[in-house]
Amino acid sequence: MKIGFLGPKATFTDIAVREMFPKEETVPYATIPDCFDALIEDEIEMAVVPLENALEGSVNITLDYLVHEVDLPIIAELTSPIRQHFMVHPDNKDSWKKTERIYSHSHAIAQCHKFLHKELKGIPYTNTTSTAAAAQFIKEHPDVKAGAIANELAAEEYGLSIVRKDVHDVHYNHTRFIVLSKNERQLNEDGSAFKGYKTTVMITLPSDRAGALHQVLSAFAWRRLNLSKIESRPMKTGLGNYFFIIDIDMKQDDVLIPGVVAELEALECKVKILGSYPFYQLGIETSKLPI
């Protein structure tokens, strides 16, 4: 089985894929839309892309593609701890404080603000498509006095020297990744990483109805369905038009969730189930997440 992920090699997505699917063939793609396209065109059987970071929030391009561009169900969620390190080309190891530019994903740069402000204040940043892409750039440009913020696997993959470890501001940061597939697939639920089930729905409210959101939430509340996330996103049809993404902490059943859908549709809401799936906590043995 081929699994596509946001590349290049040694991204945080790659780390999650290696832990969850250690025996499967993996294929890196340069962007999140490339991952979606590869899955649609049957180049791969599953795709893994980032959905949300604990500090920086949702990855909007993932949400927008799920809602506006493709019809691909979520079949699993992977949550993995994030550790950021500052690395340079080995030739520049002893002079890393003379770095003239810093490369990384915008989220990683934001997550390391305190380190950058203290150690490399005033040095300009260049955003890359991933932290691994930043590490790859440093490897391929040894003559540039630059450094990258990335993970330990990226340093190993691209032969860089880590000059400062754990430069992230917060040590309980983590990222949620989603696994997509055209077909239903049974994933292993026996290991300690398996934590339960979620169902994700998209809801569009009827226009110009006072109290519509209250009515939506009431449909879940009186059924005692726990919601772990509620997020609004623009419909891209004009200012003030939004849809809502809601995570329900249970597997889709034959009574409660269908009852919610029927009630909301009776209220003239549009409802789409994006997936009902198992979720996993990876990297538990090395995670610094609070107990």
Side-chain angles (χ1 to χ4, degrees), residues 65-288:
Y65 257 73
L66 278 176
V67 172
H68 297 294
E69 304 293 338
V70 300
D71 186 18
L72 294 170
I74 303 170
I75 66 165
E77 176 189 294
L78 317 175
T79 300
S80 182
I82 301 299
R83 296 179 62 193
Q84 306 281 13
H85 311 299
F86 186 71
M87 56 196 69
V88 297
H89 194 278
D91 294 347
N92 300 324
K93 181 178 179 180
D94 296 329
S95 59
W96 68 270
K97 286 198 173 184
K98 296 181 180 179
T99 296
E100 297 177 354
R101 184 165 290 275
I102 299 161
Y103 290 80
S104 196
H105 190 276
S106 58
H107 282 191
I109 290 172
Q111 291 161 17
C112 302
H113 170 75
K114 292 180 181 179
F115 164 77
L116 295 174
H117 181 73
K118 180 180 179 180
E119 301 286 352
L120 297 167
K121 187 174 182 179
I123 304 302
Y125 312 140
T126 295
N127 292 333
T128 54
T129 56
S130 67
T131 54
Q136 184 178 29
F137 177 88
I138 300 301
K139 174 190 176 181
E140 295 172 350
H141 297 82
D143 54 321
V144 178
K145 293 182 179 180
I149 295 173
N151 60 61
E152 196 166 6
L153 180 61
E156 179 182 339
E157 180 73 30
Y158 298 106
L160 303 185
S161 297
I162 295 177
V163 292
R164 285 292 185 273
K165 297 195 72 171
D166 294 328
V167 297
H168 41 274
D169 297 343
V170 180
H171 290 281
Y172 51 80
N173 187 20
H174 58 282
T175 292
R176 296 168 60 201
F177 304 90
I178 52 173
V179 184
L180 305 166
S181 177
K182 285 185 176 181
N183 305 309
E184 292 186 10
R185 299 184 185 277
Q186 186 64 41
L187 301 183
N188 180 25
E189 299 173 7
D190 297 330
S192 61
F194 172 69
K195 296 302 177 183
Y197 276 93
K198 290 183 181 180
T199 299
T200 299
V201 297
M202 182 192 78
I203 299 172
T204 306
L205 304 182
S207 59
D208 299 326
R209 175 180 291 180
L213 181 57
H214 173 75
Q215 290 178 312
V216 167
L217 297 180
S218 295
F220 294 99
W222 76 261
R223 292 177 173 85
R224 297 187 178 182
L225 295 177
N226 187 50
L227 308 182
S228 57
K229 181 180 179 181
I230 304 173
E231 179 174 1
S232 63
R233 289 287 298 151
M235 286 291 297
K236 301 184 184 290
T237 57
L239 287 174
N241 299 327
Y242 296 90
F243 63 85
F244 292 84
I245 300 289
I246 295 179
D247 285 349
I248 311 166
D249 278 347
M250 68 172 288
K251 188 176 184 179
Q252 186 171 358
D253 64 342
D254 296 327
V255 178
L256 293 176
I257 293 179
V260 170
V261 173
E263 182 174 338
L264 296 184
E265 289 178 342
L267 294 171
E268 299 181 356
C269 296
K270 294 180 181 179
V271 183
K272 179 181 179 181
I273 295 178
L274 299 180
S276 186
Y277 49 88
F279 65 93
Y280 302 83
Q281 173 69 65
L282 306 179
I284 295 174
E285 68 281 356
T286 58
S287 173
K288 295 183 180 179

Side-chain angles (χ1 to χ4, degrees), residues 5-11 13-14 27-31 35 129-133 158:
F5 66 91
L6 176 62
K9 290 182 179 180
T11 58
T13 316
D14 187 11
V27 183
Y29 289 91
T31 67
C35 292
T129 56
S130 67
T131 54
Y158 298 106

